[in-house]
Amino acid sequence: MLIVARREHRSIATSVAVLAEVVRGHPRDAAVFALLGRESILVMDVDQDVAVQAGRLLAGAGFGSEQAVAAFLVSTGDLAGGAVIATVDARDLTALGELCARIVVRSVQP
């Protein structure tokens, strides 16, 4: 997906909330930050607009706060004008993304 995005001159971004799922304060966190830098991945903040939309998406999908990070990711992409979200766990993201006209969720293999 990164190769396709680069070839099509598309920005690659993630929500800052996703870092909470992958960064653990270990030396191996360096690989996460290296990837962000090497691929020029934008890390988007969760502001009030993103948070409010995420809450509405959670309610619309019938989810609780345990899916907040997924909702932040979908909201960030939608408020940025649309996004293709690549994930190895598409179920919840798809349910949230279906509530937004500008979000496409793609399942990828690890």
Side-chain angles (χ1 to χ4, degrees):
M1 296 281 307
L2 288 173
I3 294 168
V4 172
R6 291 288 178 232
R7 185 174 45 228
E8 295 178 0
H9 305 288
R10 297 185 182 269
S11 296
I12 302 170
T14 191
S15 170
V16 69
V18 172
L19 293 181
E21 292 188 324
V22 296
V23 173
R24 293 290 182 260
H26 296 263
R28 61 182 167 252
D29 294 348
V32 173
F33 295 108
L35 173 70
L36 293 172
R38 182 178 62 249
E39 298 298 333
S40 300
I41 297 172
L42 303 170
V43 179
M44 309 293 288
D45 287 333
V46 173
D47 62 14
Q48 183 172 340
D49 292 338
V50 171
V52 168
Q53 181 171 344
R56 291 178 179 151
L57 289 174
L58 289 169
F63 291 160
S65 60
E66 67 280 356
Q67 295 304 326
V69 172
F72 291 144
L73 184 61
V74 171
S75 295
T76 297
D78 189 50
L79 292 173
V84 176
I85 298 174
T87 180
V88 296
D89 186 13
R91 187 179 56 104
D92 295 334
L93 286 166
T94 297
L96 293 163
E98 287 175 347
L99 301 172
C100 302
R102 299 174 293 200
I103 297 294
V104 175
V105 177
R106 295 279 186 246
S107 182
V108 296
Q109 298 301 316

